[in-house]
Amino acid sequence: MSNEINQQRRGLLGMAALGVAAGSLGIISAASAQSGTGTAGAPPLPAGGARTSFAPLKQVDAGALKVSYAETGPANGTPVLLLHGWPYDIHAYVEVAPILAAAGYRVLVPYLRGYGGTRFLSEETPRNGQQAALAVDALAFMDALGIESAVLGGFDWGARTVNILAALWPERCKGIVSVSGYLIGSQEANRMPLPPKAELQWWYQYYFATERGEAGYRKYTHDFARLIWELASPKWAFDDATFNRSATAFDNPDHVAISIDNYRWRLGLAKGEAKYDEIEKKLAASPTIGVPTITMEGDANGAPHPDPAAYAKKFTGKYAFRLISGGIGHNLPQEAPAAFAQAIMDVDKF
C-alpha cells in the first residue's frame, strides 16, 4: 500500500477540499461506477458480467522469473498491462479484462513475484521485494513478449510499479491509470516519522519488521490477507468464494519472503540489491511523470493513501483525477471494474 498519507483528509473529505480546484485538476466524479457508464459522451461499456476466472494461464521466462499470466483479447490489439498489489492477485482484474478485450485490447495480467504460479528461475536469486525489483520484473515481462509500449494500469504495489515505469521508462508507456496516484517512495523519505494516527494505519508494516511478525504472517497468511481486505475495503461485501480464489495465490513458496522484504526495505531494515541502486537513486528524487495519466480513488478506501492534491503536480502531462463513489475501497479494479476499464480506454485516447 502507498507510502504516503495525510491523515487529516481522506476519501470524500479530501475531495470536498478540492472542489474549487476540480476544473484545473481535471477531476471527474464517477458516481455510477458499476452502472457501465463512462465519461461524458462515451458509449456505454459492455457489461463485465459475473466473471470469476480467466482462460488457462500462460507462462513466459522473463528476467529472473518464469511469469504466470492471464491473456485475453486480440493478439494484434493495443497491449494493456494490469498489475495487482498486496495482498491481492490477478483476480482483481477478472471483470476488467473482458471489458477491455471486447473493446479490442490485448490484455495481460501477470502474477507478481511471490504470487500464484510465478516462480524464480534460480534458487540463488534473492527474494527481494523492493520497488525497483518489481519494476524491472514488469519491463522484463514486456520484453519477453515483444511489447515495446503498452497502456499500464495498477493499484497498490501495481500502481507504484506503473508510476516507476512511467517516470523512468516513459517510452514504454502509452498512458497509465494509477489508483491512489503517485506512490513512488524512498528509504530516506520513509525515515521521517508520521503523526501517531497515521503511524497506526501502518501497523502491519511494523509487525512485519519483527521475527514474530514474519512467523505470524507465515502461519496465518490467509487470515492476515482477509483482514487487510476487510480493513482496506470496509464497504466491499466480498464473499468467501471471491477471497478464496485470490488466496490460493498466497500459497506461492516465495510469497511470505517477498512480502516481508518489501515492507522491511521501505523502513530501511532490508538493504535491497546493489544492482538496483542507480534506479533507487533516481526514484528517491521523486521524479515527475509526463505520460498521459488518470489517477483514481475510491470514496471508501480504508488503506493509507495520499490526498489527491498532494500528488497532482507530479503528473506533468495530460492528467485527470477520478473519484469513484458508491463505497469503493482499496481494490478499485475488482470493486468498480467498469470504471477502471473506462479509465484505461480514456487514457489511451488522451
mmCIF file of all heavy atoms in Angstrom, residues 57-70 84 90 109-123 125 127 136-138 140-142 144-145 252-254:
data_model
loop_
_atom_site.group_PDB
_atom_site.id
_atom_site.type_symbol
_atom_site.label_atom_id
_atom_site.label_comp_id
_atom_site.label_asym_id
_atom_site.label_seq_id
_atom_site.Cartn_x
_atom_site.Cartn_y
_atom_site.Cartn_z
ATOM 1 N N LEU A 57 -4.012 -20.113 -17.907
ATOM 2 C CA LEU A 57 -2.915 -19.159 -17.830
ATOM 3 C C LEU A 57 -1.746 -19.582 -18.704
ATOM 4 O O LEU A 57 -1.568 -20.756 -19.030
ATOM 5 C CB LEU A 57 -2.459 -19.002 -16.379
ATOM 6 C CG LEU A 57 -3.524 -18.545 -15.381
ATOM 7 C CD1 LEU A 57 -2.893 -18.324 -14.011
ATOM 8 C CD2 LEU A 57 -4.230 -17.281 -15.860
ATOM 9 N N LYS A 58 -0.930 -18.600 -19.059
ATOM 10 C CA LYS A 58 0.271 -18.833 -19.844
ATOM 11 C C LYS A 58 1.495 -18.618 -18.981
ATOM 12 O O LYS A 58 1.405 -18.086 -17.867
ATOM 13 C CB LYS A 58 0.297 -17.893 -21.052
ATOM 14 C CG LYS A 58 -0.884 -18.043 -21.988
ATOM 15 C CD LYS A 58 -0.777 -17.088 -23.174
ATOM 16 C CE LYS A 58 -1.931 -17.269 -24.135
ATOM 17 N NZ LYS A 58 -1.802 -16.372 -25.328
ATOM 18 N N GLN A 59 2.664 -18.998 -19.485
ATOM 19 C CA GLN A 59 3.919 -18.768 -18.788
ATOM 20 C C GLN A 59 4.978 -18.293 -19.762
ATOM 21 O O GLN A 59 4.982 -18.684 -20.935
ATOM 22 C CB GLN A 59 4.411 -20.028 -18.084
ATOM 23 C CG GLN A 59 3.567 -20.440 -16.874
ATOM 24 C CD GLN A 59 4.223 -21.528 -16.073
ATOM 25 O OE1 GLN A 59 4.855 -22.435 -16.608
ATOM 26 N NE2 GLN A 59 4.088 -21.456 -14.753
ATOM 27 N N VAL A 60 5.880 -17.447 -19.274
ATOM 28 C CA VAL A 60 6.987 -16.975 -20.097
ATOM 29 C C VAL A 60 8.166 -16.692 -19.181
ATOM 30 O O VAL A 60 8.000 -16.198 -18.065
ATOM 31 C CB VAL A 60 6.596 -15.690 -20.884
ATOM 32 C CG1 VAL A 60 6.286 -14.524 -19.953
ATOM 33 C CG2 VAL A 60 7.675 -15.325 -21.884
ATOM 34 N N ASP A 61 9.367 -17.055 -19.643
ATOM 35 C CA ASP A 61 10.585 -16.700 -18.917
ATOM 36 C C ASP A 61 10.872 -15.231 -19.156
ATOM 37 O O ASP A 61 10.967 -14.784 -20.312
ATOM 38 C CB ASP A 61 11.764 -17.544 -19.388
ATOM 39 C CG ASP A 61 11.668 -18.992 -18.937
ATOM 40 O OD1 ASP A 61 10.734 -19.318 -18.179
ATOM 41 O OD2 ASP A 61 12.528 -19.795 -19.341
ATOM 42 N N ALA A 62 11.004 -14.480 -18.079
ATOM 43 C CA ALA A 62 11.188 -13.033 -18.177
ATOM 44 C C ALA A 62 12.116 -12.571 -17.064
ATOM 45 O O ALA A 62 11.716 -12.550 -15.897
ATOM 46 C CB ALA A 62 9.849 -12.303 -18.092
ATOM 47 N N GLY A 63 13.341 -12.215 -17.409
ATOM 48 C CA GLY A 63 14.294 -11.785 -16.405
ATOM 49 C C GLY A 63 14.581 -12.887 -15.412
ATOM 50 O O GLY A 63 14.950 -14.002 -15.788
ATOM 51 N N ALA A 64 14.381 -12.618 -14.140
ATOM 52 C CA ALA A 64 14.670 -13.585 -13.086
ATOM 53 C C ALA A 64 13.540 -14.578 -12.870
ATOM 54 O O ALA A 64 13.677 -15.498 -12.065
ATOM 55 C CB ALA A 64 14.946 -12.845 -11.777
ATOM 56 N N LEU A 65 12.436 -14.415 -13.598
ATOM 57 C CA LEU A 65 11.219 -15.161 -13.293
ATOM 58 C C LEU A 65 10.695 -15.989 -14.448
ATOM 59 O O LEU A 65 10.931 -15.670 -15.622
ATOM 60 C CB LEU A 65 10.111 -14.179 -12.884
ATOM 61 C CG LEU A 65 10.379 -13.227 -11.730
ATOM 62 C CD1 LEU A 65 9.255 -12.203 -11.642
ATOM 63 C CD2 LEU A 65 10.529 -13.973 -10.418
ATOM 64 N N LYS A 66 9.961 -17.034 -14.107
ATOM 65 C CA LYS A 66 9.012 -17.660 -15.028
ATOM 66 C C LYS A 66 7.669 -17.112 -14.607
ATOM 67 O O LYS A 66 7.136 -17.479 -13.563
ATOM 68 C CB LYS A 66 9.052 -19.182 -14.946
ATOM 69 C CG LYS A 66 8.050 -19.862 -15.902
ATOM 70 C CD LYS A 66 8.099 -21.372 -15.809
ATOM 71 C CE LYS A 66 9.367 -21.921 -16.450
ATOM 72 N NZ LYS A 66 9.383 -21.717 -17.923
ATOM 73 N N VAL A 67 7.126 -16.225 -15.429
ATOM 74 C CA VAL A 67 5.926 -15.489 -15.053
ATOM 75 C C VAL A 67 4.679 -16.236 -15.516
ATOM 76 O O VAL A 67 4.561 -16.632 -16.678
ATOM 77 C CB VAL A 67 5.936 -14.074 -15.661
ATOM 78 C CG1 VAL A 67 4.653 -13.329 -15.301
ATOM 79 C CG2 VAL A 67 7.155 -13.293 -15.181
ATOM 80 N N SER A 68 3.751 -16.405 -14.600
ATOM 81 C CA SER A 68 2.435 -16.950 -14.917
ATOM 82 C C SER A 68 1.497 -15.768 -15.136
ATOM 83 O O SER A 68 1.455 -14.845 -14.313
ATOM 84 C CB SER A 68 1.945 -17.817 -13.754
ATOM 85 O OG SER A 68 0.634 -18.305 -13.994
ATOM 86 N N TYR A 69 0.758 -15.786 -16.243
ATOM 87 C CA TYR A 69 -0.065 -14.616 -16.552
ATOM 88 C C TYR A 69 -1.314 -14.999 -17.324
ATOM 89 O O TYR A 69 -1.375 -16.027 -18.014
ATOM 90 C CB TYR A 69 0.743 -13.592 -17.353
ATOM 91 C CG TYR A 69 1.146 -14.013 -18.757
ATOM 92 C CD1 TYR A 69 0.431 -13.578 -19.876
ATOM 93 C CD2 TYR A 69 2.243 -14.835 -18.969
ATOM 94 C CE1 TYR A 69 0.807 -13.952 -21.161
ATOM 95 C CE2 TYR A 69 2.629 -15.218 -20.247
ATOM 96 C CZ TYR A 69 1.910 -14.765 -21.343
ATOM 97 O OH TYR A 69 2.281 -15.138 -22.626
ATOM 98 N N ALA A 70 -2.325 -14.148 -17.200
ATOM 99 C CA ALA A 70 -3.556 -14.272 -17.971
ATOM 100 C C ALA A 70 -3.447 -13.372 -19.195
ATOM 101 O O ALA A 70 -2.854 -12.288 -19.125
ATOM 102 C CB ALA A 70 -4.754 -13.859 -17.130
ATOM 103 N N HIS A 84 -1.344 -6.131 -10.159
ATOM 104 C CA HIS A 84 -2.034 -6.196 -8.868
ATOM 105 C C HIS A 84 -1.098 -5.773 -7.739
ATOM 106 O O HIS A 84 0.068 -5.432 -7.940
ATOM 107 C CB HIS A 84 -2.583 -7.607 -8.633
ATOM 108 C CG HIS A 84 -1.536 -8.666 -8.430
ATOM 109 N ND1 HIS A 84 -0.925 -8.879 -7.220
ATOM 110 C CD2 HIS A 84 -1.000 -9.586 -9.288
ATOM 111 C CE1 HIS A 84 -0.069 -9.881 -7.331
ATOM 112 N NE2 HIS A 84 -0.088 -10.324 -8.575
ATOM 113 N N ILE A 90 -4.276 -11.598 -9.545
ATOM 114 C CA ILE A 90 -4.772 -11.246 -10.873
ATOM 115 C C ILE A 90 -6.294 -11.186 -10.932
ATOM 116 O O ILE A 90 -6.851 -10.539 -11.829
ATOM 117 C CB ILE A 90 -4.244 -12.210 -11.955
ATOM 118 C CG1 ILE A 90 -4.729 -13.640 -11.735
ATOM 119 C CG2 ILE A 90 -2.722 -12.159 -12.017
ATOM 120 C CD1 ILE A 90 -4.372 -14.595 -12.881
ATOM 121 N N VAL A 109 -2.240 -9.846 -17.685
ATOM 122 C CA VAL A 109 -2.337 -9.690 -16.235
ATOM 123 C C VAL A 109 -1.406 -10.703 -15.579
ATOM 124 O O VAL A 109 -1.777 -11.863 -15.379
ATOM 125 C CB VAL A 109 -3.778 -9.892 -15.733
ATOM 126 C CG1 VAL A 109 -3.901 -9.442 -14.285
ATOM 127 C CG2 VAL A 109 -4.791 -9.170 -16.615
ATOM 128 N N PRO A 110 -0.186 -10.304 -15.237
ATOM 129 C CA PRO A 110 0.774 -11.252 -14.655
ATOM 130 C C PRO A 110 0.690 -11.334 -13.131
ATOM 131 O O PRO A 110 0.367 -10.359 -12.456
ATOM 132 C CB PRO A 110 2.125 -10.650 -15.073
ATOM 133 C CG PRO A 110 1.873 -9.173 -15.101
ATOM 134 C CD PRO A 110 0.434 -9.005 -15.565
ATOM 135 N N TYR A 111 0.991 -12.523 -12.613
ATOM 136 C CA TYR A 111 1.235 -12.652 -11.190
ATOM 137 C C TYR A 111 2.594 -12.032 -10.877
ATOM 138 O O TYR A 111 3.590 -12.326 -11.537
ATOM 139 C CB TYR A 111 1.271 -14.124 -10.776
ATOM 140 C CG TYR A 111 -0.077 -14.759 -10.541
ATOM 141 C CD1 TYR A 111 -0.558 -15.759 -11.390
ATOM 142 C CD2 TYR A 111 -0.854 -14.403 -9.448
ATOM 143 C CE1 TYR A 111 -1.785 -16.370 -11.154
ATOM 144 C CE2 TYR A 111 -2.081 -15.009 -9.200
ATOM 145 C CZ TYR A 111 -2.539 -15.984 -10.063
ATOM 146 O OH TYR A 111 -3.750 -16.583 -9.821
ATOM 147 N N LEU A 112 2.647 -11.189 -9.860
ATOM 148 C CA LEU A 112 3.915 -10.614 -9.416
ATOM 149 C C LEU A 112 4.808 -11.692 -8.811
ATOM 150 O O LEU A 112 4.357 -12.797 -8.486
ATOM 151 C CB LEU A 112 3.670 -9.529 -8.377
ATOM 152 C CG LEU A 112 2.761 -8.361 -8.766
ATOM 153 C CD1 LEU A 112 2.744 -7.334 -7.639
ATOM 154 C CD2 LEU A 112 3.191 -7.727 -10.080
ATOM 155 N N ARG A 113 6.087 -11.363 -8.654
ATOM 156 C CA ARG A 113 6.981 -12.282 -7.938
ATOM 157 C C ARG A 113 6.393 -12.584 -6.557
ATOM 158 O O ARG A 113 5.910 -11.698 -5.837
ATOM 159 C CB ARG A 113 8.394 -11.705 -7.811
ATOM 160 C CG ARG A 113 8.495 -10.357 -7.131
ATOM 161 C CD ARG A 113 9.945 -9.973 -6.822
ATOM 162 N NE ARG A 113 10.815 -9.912 -7.985
ATOM 163 C CZ ARG A 113 12.149 -9.861 -7.923
ATOM 164 N NH1 ARG A 113 12.753 -9.831 -6.741
ATOM 165 N NH2 ARG A 113 12.873 -9.802 -9.026
ATOM 166 N N GLY A 114 6.391 -13.881 -6.228
ATOM 167 C CA GLY A 114 5.841 -14.277 -4.940
ATOM 168 C C GLY A 114 4.352 -14.561 -4.936
ATOM 169 O O GLY A 114 3.775 -14.750 -3.860
ATOM 170 N N TYR A 115 3.738 -14.620 -6.108
ATOM 171 C CA TYR A 115 2.287 -14.837 -6.200
ATOM 172 C C TYR A 115 1.966 -15.906 -7.242
ATOM 173 O O TYR A 115 2.619 -15.990 -8.294
ATOM 174 C CB TYR A 115 1.565 -13.557 -6.598
ATOM 175 C CG TYR A 115 1.573 -12.475 -5.553
ATOM 176 C CD1 TYR A 115 2.676 -11.648 -5.392
ATOM 177 C CD2 TYR A 115 0.474 -12.280 -4.714
ATOM 178 C CE1 TYR A 115 2.692 -10.641 -4.433
ATOM 179 C CE2 TYR A 115 0.479 -11.279 -3.752
ATOM 180 C CZ TYR A 115 1.589 -10.466 -3.620
ATOM 181 O OH TYR A 115 1.607 -9.482 -2.662
ATOM 182 N N GLY A 116 0.924 -16.674 -6.969
ATOM 183 C CA GLY A 116 0.388 -17.611 -7.945
ATOM 184 C C GLY A 116 1.441 -18.544 -8.506
ATOM 185 O O GLY A 116 2.287 -19.078 -7.795
ATOM 186 N N GLY A 117 1.388 -18.727 -9.826
ATOM 187 C CA GLY A 117 2.304 -19.644 -10.491
ATOM 188 C C GLY A 117 3.616 -19.032 -10.911
ATOM 189 O O GLY A 117 4.444 -19.707 -11.537
ATOM 190 N N THR A 118 3.866 -17.769 -10.605
ATOM 191 C CA THR A 118 5.147 -17.140 -10.950
ATOM 192 C C THR A 118 6.242 -17.690 -10.033
ATOM 193 O O THR A 118 6.065 -17.764 -8.816
ATOM 194 C CB THR A 118 5.051 -15.608 -10.820
ATOM 195 O OG1 THR A 118 4.185 -15.120 -11.856
ATOM 196 C CG2 THR A 118 6.409 -14.950 -10.962
ATOM 197 N N ARG A 119 7.372 -18.078 -10.630
ATOM 198 C CA ARG A 119 8.478 -18.679 -9.882
ATOM 199 C C ARG A 119 9.807 -18.050 -10.290
ATOM 200 O O ARG A 119 9.978 -17.612 -11.430
ATOM 201 C CB ARG A 119 8.555 -20.193 -10.142
ATOM 202 C CG ARG A 119 7.346 -20.982 -9.680
ATOM 203 C CD ARG A 119 7.282 -21.073 -8.156
ATOM 204 N NE ARG A 119 6.223 -21.977 -7.713
ATOM 205 C CZ ARG A 119 4.960 -21.629 -7.517
ATOM 206 N NH1 ARG A 119 4.581 -20.383 -7.751
ATOM 207 N NH2 ARG A 119 4.070 -22.510 -7.103
ATOM 208 N N PHE A 120 10.758 -18.053 -9.370
ATOM 209 C CA PHE A 120 12.115 -17.648 -9.696
ATOM 210 C C PHE A 120 12.786 -18.752 -10.493
ATOM 211 O O PHE A 120 12.603 -19.937 -10.212
ATOM 212 C CB PHE A 120 12.910 -17.361 -8.424
ATOM 213 C CG PHE A 120 12.537 -16.065 -7.765
ATOM 214 C CD1 PHE A 120 11.536 -16.027 -6.806
ATOM 215 C CD2 PHE A 120 13.178 -14.888 -8.106
ATOM 216 C CE1 PHE A 120 11.181 -14.827 -6.194
ATOM 217 C CE2 PHE A 120 12.823 -13.684 -7.504
ATOM 218 C CZ PHE A 120 11.830 -13.656 -6.552
ATOM 219 N N LEU A 121 13.572 -18.359 -11.479
ATOM 220 C CA LEU A 121 14.266 -19.339 -12.308
ATOM 221 C C LEU A 121 15.443 -19.963 -11.570
ATOM 222 O O LEU A 121 15.879 -21.057 -11.910
ATOM 223 C CB LEU A 121 14.751 -18.688 -13.605
ATOM 224 C CG LEU A 121 13.648 -18.211 -14.552
ATOM 225 C CD1 LEU A 121 14.239 -17.428 -15.718
ATOM 226 C CD2 LEU A 121 12.849 -19.405 -15.072
ATOM 227 N N SER A 122 15.961 -19.267 -10.568
ATOM 228 C CA SER A 122 17.109 -19.757 -9.807
ATOM 229 C C SER A 122 16.827 -19.673 -8.315
ATOM 230 O O SER A 122 16.284 -18.675 -7.827
ATOM 231 C CB SER A 122 18.357 -18.935 -10.131
ATOM 232 O OG SER A 122 19.428 -19.266 -9.252
ATOM 233 N N GLU A 123 17.220 -20.707 -7.593
ATOM 234 C CA GLU A 123 17.102 -20.690 -6.139
ATOM 235 C C GLU A 123 18.045 -19.673 -5.524
ATOM 236 O O GLU A 123 17.874 -19.262 -4.371
ATOM 237 C CB GLU A 123 17.389 -22.085 -5.574
ATOM 238 C CG GLU A 123 16.296 -23.101 -5.852
ATOM 239 C CD GLU A 123 14.962 -22.717 -5.226
ATOM 240 O OE1 GLU A 123 14.970 -22.187 -4.094
ATOM 241 O OE2 GLU A 123 13.926 -22.942 -5.861
ATOM 242 N N THR A 125 18.565 -16.578 -6.569
ATOM 243 C CA THR A 125 18.103 -15.193 -6.686
ATOM 244 C C THR A 125 17.547 -14.707 -5.355
ATOM 245 O O THR A 125 16.693 -15.381 -4.760
ATOM 246 C CB THR A 125 17.015 -15.067 -7.765
ATOM 247 O OG1 THR A 125 17.529 -15.550 -9.004
ATOM 248 C CG2 THR A 125 16.583 -13.616 -7.934
ATOM 249 N N ARG A 127 15.227 -13.168 -2.667
ATOM 250 C CA ARG A 127 13.769 -12.965 -2.634
ATOM 251 C C ARG A 127 13.526 -11.518 -2.197
ATOM 252 O O ARG A 127 13.172 -11.235 -1.062
ATOM 253 C CB ARG A 127 13.107 -13.963 -1.710
ATOM 254 C CG ARG A 127 12.744 -15.303 -2.343
ATOM 255 C CD ARG A 127 13.674 -15.814 -3.416
ATOM 256 N NE ARG A 127 13.269 -17.114 -3.958
ATOM 257 C CZ ARG A 127 13.934 -17.776 -4.870
ATOM 258 N NH1 ARG A 127 15.062 -17.278 -5.387
ATOM 259 N NH2 ARG A 127 13.488 -18.939 -5.323
ATOM 260 N N VAL A 136 11.562 -3.671 -12.595
ATOM 261 C CA VAL A 136 12.386 -4.377 -13.573
ATOM 262 C C VAL A 136 11.701 -5.667 -14.016
ATOM 263 O O VAL A 136 11.785 -6.061 -15.182
ATOM 264 C CB VAL A 136 13.787 -4.645 -12.992
ATOM 265 C CG1 VAL A 136 14.586 -5.603 -13.876
ATOM 266 C CG2 VAL A 136 14.551 -3.327 -12.828
ATOM 267 N N ASP A 137 10.992 -6.322 -13.099
ATOM 268 C CA ASP A 137 10.202 -7.506 -13.484
ATOM 269 C C ASP A 137 9.195 -7.161 -14.579
ATOM 270 O O ASP A 137 9.014 -7.914 -15.540
ATOM 271 C CB ASP A 137 9.429 -8.048 -12.281
ATOM 272 C CG ASP A 137 10.284 -8.752 -11.260
ATOM 273 O OD1 ASP A 137 11.466 -9.034 -11.548
ATOM 274 O OD2 ASP A 137 9.774 -9.036 -10.152
ATOM 275 N N ALA A 138 8.507 -6.045 -14.415
ATOM 276 C CA ALA A 138 7.491 -5.641 -15.393
ATOM 277 C C ALA A 138 8.124 -5.348 -16.743
ATOM 278 O O ALA A 138 7.588 -5.733 -17.796
ATOM 279 C CB ALA A 138 6.726 -4.425 -14.887
ATOM 280 N N ALA A 140 10.929 -6.644 -17.886
ATOM 281 C CA ALA A 140 11.366 -7.928 -18.426
ATOM 282 C C ALA A 140 10.194 -8.701 -19.022
ATOM 283 O O ALA A 140 10.331 -9.375 -20.055
ATOM 284 C CB ALA A 140 12.056 -8.754 -17.340
ATOM 285 N N PHE A 141 9.040 -8.607 -18.383
ATOM 286 C CA PHE A 141 7.838 -9.262 -18.893
ATOM 287 C C PHE A 141 7.448 -8.678 -20.244
ATOM 288 O O PHE A 141 7.148 -9.420 -21.193
ATOM 289 C CB PHE A 141 6.706 -9.104 -17.881
ATOM 290 C CG PHE A 141 5.404 -9.712 -18.296
ATOM 291 C CD1 PHE A 141 5.244 -11.086 -18.366
ATOM 292 C CD2 PHE A 141 4.316 -8.904 -18.616
ATOM 293 C CE1 PHE A 141 4.028 -11.652 -18.744
ATOM 294 C CE2 PHE A 141 3.097 -9.456 -18.991
ATOM 295 C CZ PHE A 141 2.957 -10.835 -19.055
ATOM 296 N N MET A 142 7.456 -7.360 -20.358
ATOM 297 C CA MET A 142 7.149 -6.722 -21.639
ATOM 298 C C MET A 142 8.161 -7.116 -22.701
ATOM 299 O O MET A 142 7.793 -7.420 -23.846
ATOM 300 C CB MET A 142 7.111 -5.201 -21.464
ATOM 301 C CG MET A 142 5.960 -4.697 -20.600
ATOM 302 S SD MET A 142 6.005 -2.904 -20.299
ATOM 303 C CE MET A 142 5.669 -2.270 -21.962
ATOM 304 N N ALA A 144 9.959 -9.851 -22.833
ATOM 305 C CA ALA A 144 9.805 -11.261 -23.181
ATOM 306 C C ALA A 144 8.673 -11.478 -24.173
ATOM 307 O O ALA A 144 8.722 -12.410 -24.994
ATOM 308 C CB ALA A 144 9.557 -12.081 -21.917
ATOM 309 N N LEU A 145 7.656 -10.623 -24.123
ATOM 310 C CA LEU A 145 6.517 -10.751 -25.033
ATOM 311 C C LEU A 145 6.645 -9.825 -26.242
ATOM 312 O O LEU A 145 5.718 -9.741 -27.059
ATOM 313 C CB LEU A 145 5.216 -10.449 -24.280
ATOM 314 C CG LEU A 145 4.867 -11.421 -23.146
ATOM 315 C CD1 LEU A 145 3.554 -11.026 -22.501
ATOM 316 C CD2 LEU A 145 4.793 -12.856 -23.656
ATOM 317 N N ASN A 252 2.151 -19.426 -2.889
ATOM 318 C CA ASN A 252 3.444 -19.418 -3.569
ATOM 319 C C ASN A 252 4.569 -19.545 -2.534
ATOM 320 O O ASN A 252 4.540 -18.863 -1.509
ATOM 321 C CB ASN A 252 3.576 -18.103 -4.347
ATOM 322 C CG ASN A 252 4.847 -17.980 -5.140
ATOM 323 O OD1 ASN A 252 5.939 -17.964 -4.578
ATOM 324 N ND2 ASN A 252 4.723 -17.844 -6.449
ATOM 325 N N PRO A 253 5.568 -20.393 -2.780
ATOM 326 C CA PRO A 253 6.617 -20.618 -1.764
ATOM 327 C C PRO A 253 7.435 -19.381 -1.413
ATOM 328 O O PRO A 253 8.079 -19.343 -0.355
ATOM 329 C CB PRO A 253 7.494 -21.698 -2.398
ATOM 330 C CG PRO A 253 7.218 -21.617 -3.869
ATOM 331 C CD PRO A 253 5.776 -21.229 -3.971
ATOM 332 N N ASP A 254 7.406 -18.368 -2.275
ATOM 333 C CA ASP A 254 8.187 -17.155 -2.023
ATOM 334 C C ASP A 254 7.329 -15.985 -1.537
ATOM 335 O O ASP A 254 7.848 -14.887 -1.319
ATOM 336 C CB ASP A 254 8.929 -16.729 -3.296
ATOM 337 C CG ASP A 254 9.893 -17.790 -3.780
ATOM 338 O OD1 ASP A 254 10.716 -18.241 -2.965
ATOM 339 O OD2 ASP A 254 9.805 -18.197 -4.957
#
